Coordinates of all heavy atoms in Angstrom, one line a residue:
A96 N 1.6 11.7 -2.6 CA 2.4 11.9 -3.9 C 2.6 10.6 -4.6 O 2.5 10.7 -6.0 CB 3.8 12.5 -3.6
T97 N 2.8 9.5 -4.1 CA 2.9 8.2 -4.7 C 1.6 7.7 -5.4 O 1.6 7.3 -6.4 CB 3.4 7.1 -3.8 OG1 4.6 7.6 -3.1 CG2 3.5 5.9 -4.4
I98 N 0.5 8.1 -4.6 CA -0.8 7.6 -5.2 C -1.1 8.6 -6.5 O -1.6 8.0 -7.4 CB -1.8 7.9 -4.1 CG1 -1.7 6.8 -2.9 CG2 -3.3 7.6 -4.7 CD1 -2.5 7.2 -1.7
K99 N -0.9 9.7 -6.3 CA -1.2 10.7 -7.4 C -0.4 10.2 -8.6 O -0.8 10.2 -9.8 CB -0.9 12.2 -7.2 CG -1.0 13.1 -8.2 CD -0.7 14.6 -8.0 CE -1.0 15.4 -9.1 NZ -0.6 15.1 -10.4
D100 N 0.9 10.0 -8.4 CA 1.8 9.6 -9.5 C 1.4 8.2 -10.3 O 1.3 8.1 -11.5 CB 3.4 9.4 -9.1 CG 4.1 10.7 -8.8 OD1 3.4 11.7 -9.1 OD2 5.0 10.7 -8.0
R101 N 1.0 7.3 -9.4 CA 0.5 6.0 -9.9 C -0.7 6.3 -10.7 O -1.0 5.7 -11.8 CB 0.3 4.9 -8.9 CG 1.5 4.4 -8.3 CD 1.3 3.3 -7.3 NE 2.6 2.8 -6.8 CZ 2.6 2.0 -5.8 NH1 1.7 1.4 -5.3 NH2 3.8 1.6 -5.5
L102 N -1.8 7.1 -10.2 CA -3.0 7.3 -11.0 C -2.7 8.1 -12.2 O -3.4 7.8 -13.3 CB -3.9 8.2 -10.0 CG -4.6 7.4 -9.0 CD1 -5.6 8.2 -8.2 CD2 -5.5 6.1 -9.7
S103 N -1.8 9.0 -12.3 CA -1.4 9.8 -13.5 C -1.0 9.0 -14.6 O -1.2 9.3 -15.7 CB -0.4 10.8 -13.1 OG -0.8 11.8 -12.1
T104 N -0.5 7.8 -14.4 CA 0.0 6.9 -15.4 C -1.3 6.1 -16.0 O -1.1 5.6 -17.1 CB 1.0 5.8 -14.9 OG1 0.4 4.9 -13.9 CG2 2.2 6.4 -14.4
H105 N -2.4 6.3 -15.4 CA -3.6 5.6 -15.9 C -4.6 6.5 -16.4 O -5.8 6.0 -16.7 CB -4.3 4.7 -14.7 CG -3.4 3.5 -14.4 ND1 -3.4 2.4 -15.2 CD2 -2.6 3.3 -13.3 CE1 -2.5 1.6 -14.5 NE2 -2.0 2.1 -13.3
I106 N -4.4 7.8 -16.7 CA -5.3 8.7 -17.3 C -5.8 8.1 -18.7 O -5.0 7.8 -19.5 CB -4.8 10.1 -17.4 CG1 -4.4 10.7 -16.0 CG2 -5.6 11.1 -18.2 CD1 -3.8 12.0 -16.0
G107 N -7.1 8.1 -18.7 CA -7.7 7.6 -20.0 C -8.0 6.2 -20.1 O -8.8 5.8 -20.9
Q108 N -7.8 5.5 -18.9 CA -8.2 4.1 -18.8 C -9.4 3.9 -18.0 O -9.9 4.7 -17.2 CB -7.0 3.3 -18.1 CG -5.8 3.2 -18.9 CD -4.7 2.4 -18.3 OE1 -4.9 1.8 -17.1 NE2 -3.5 2.4 -18.7
L128 N -10.7 7.3 -16.0 CA -10.0 8.2 -15.3 C -9.7 9.5 -16.1 O -9.0 9.3 -17.2 CB -8.7 7.6 -14.7 CG -7.8 8.6 -13.9 CD1 -8.5 9.2 -12.7 CD2 -6.6 7.8 -13.5
K129 N -10.3 10.6 -15.9 CA -10.2 11.7 -16.7 C -9.1 12.7 -16.5 O -8.3 12.9 -17.3 CB -11.5 12.6 -16.6 CG -11.7 13.7 -17.6 CD -11.8 13.2 -19.0 CE -12.1 14.3 -19.9 NZ -12.1 13.9 -21.3
E130 N -8.9 13.1 -15.2 CA -7.8 14.0 -14.9 C -7.4 13.8 -13.5 O -8.1 13.3 -12.6 CB -8.3 15.6 -15.0 CG -8.8 15.9 -16.4 CD -9.2 17.3 -16.4 OE1 -8.4 18.2 -16.5 OE2 -10.4 17.5 -16.5
T131 N -6.2 14.2 -13.2 CA -5.6 14.2 -11.8 C -5.2 15.7 -11.4 O -4.6 16.4 -12.3 CB -4.5 13.3 -11.7 OG1 -3.4 13.8 -12.6 CG2 -4.7 12.0 -11.8
Y132 N -5.5 16.0 -10.3 CA -5.2 17.5 -9.8 C -4.4 17.3 -8.5 O -4.2 16.0 -8.0 CB -6.5 18.2 -9.5 CG -7.3 18.5 -10.8 CD1 -8.5 17.8 -11.1 CD2 -6.9 19.6 -11.5 CE1 -9.1 18.1 -12.2 CE2 -7.7 19.9 -12.7 CZ -8.7 19.1 -13.0 OH -9.5 19.4 -14.2
P133 N -3.9 18.4 -8.0 CA -3.0 18.3 -6.8 C -3.7 17.6 -5.7 O -3.0 16.8 -5.0 CB -2.7 19.7 -6.3 CG -2.8 20.4 -7.7 CD -3.9 19.7 -8.5
V135 N -7.2 16.0 -5.8 CA -8.2 15.2 -6.2 C -8.0 14.6 -7.5 O -7.2 15.0 -8.4 CB -9.6 15.9 -6.2 CG1 -10.1 16.3 -4.8 CG2 -9.7 16.9 -7.2
F136 N -8.8 13.5 -8.0 CA -8.9 12.9 -9.3 C -10.3 12.9 -9.8 O -11.2 12.8 -8.9 CB -8.0 11.8 -9.4 CG -8.6 10.7 -8.6 CD1 -9.5 9.7 -9.2 CD2 -8.1 10.4 -7.3 CE1 -10.0 8.6 -8.4 CE2 -8.7 9.4 -6.5 CZ -9.6 8.5 -7.1
Y154 N -7.2 11.8 -3.0 CA -6.2 11.0 -2.9 C -6.2 10.2 -1.4 O -5.7 9.2 -1.2 CB -4.7 11.3 -3.2 CG -4.7 12.0 -4.5 CD1 -4.4 13.3 -4.8 CD2 -4.9 11.1 -5.6 CE1 -4.4 13.8 -6.0 CE2 -4.9 11.6 -6.9 CZ -4.6 13.0 -7.1 OH -4.5 13.5 -8.4
F166 N -8.3 -1.2 -12.2 CA -8.1 -0.9 -13.6 C -8.4 -2.2 -14.5 O -8.4 -2.0 -15.6 CB -6.9 -0.3 -13.9 CG -6.7 1.0 -13.4 CD1 -6.0 1.3 -12.2 CD2 -7.2 2.1 -14.1 CE1 -6.0 2.7 -11.7 CE2 -7.2 3.5 -13.5 CZ -6.4 3.7 -12.4
D173 N -2.1 -1.2 -8.2 CA -3.1 -0.2 -8.4 C -4.4 -0.3 -7.5 O -5.1 0.4 -7.5 CB -3.5 -0.2 -9.8 CG -2.3 0.2 -10.7 OD1 -1.6 1.1 -10.4 OD2 -2.2 -0.4 -11.8
Q175 N -5.1 0.1 -4.5 CA -4.5 0.8 -3.2 C -5.4 0.7 -2.1 O -6.4 1.1 -1.8 CB -4.1 2.2 -3.5 CG -2.9 2.2 -4.4 CD -3.2 3.0 -5.6 OE1 -4.3 3.8 -5.8 NE2 -2.4 2.8 -6.6

Side-chain angles (χ1 to χ4, degrees):
T97 303
I98 294 169
K99 181 186 181 308
D100 290 342
R101 287 186 180 176
L102 283 178
S103 293
T104 64
H105 290 285
I106 291 177
Q108 293 184 3
L128 180 60
K129 186 67 174 177
E130 296 179 80
T131 58
Y132 293 101
V135 298
F136 60 97
Y154 303 117
F166 287 98
D173 294 322
Q175 290 123 17

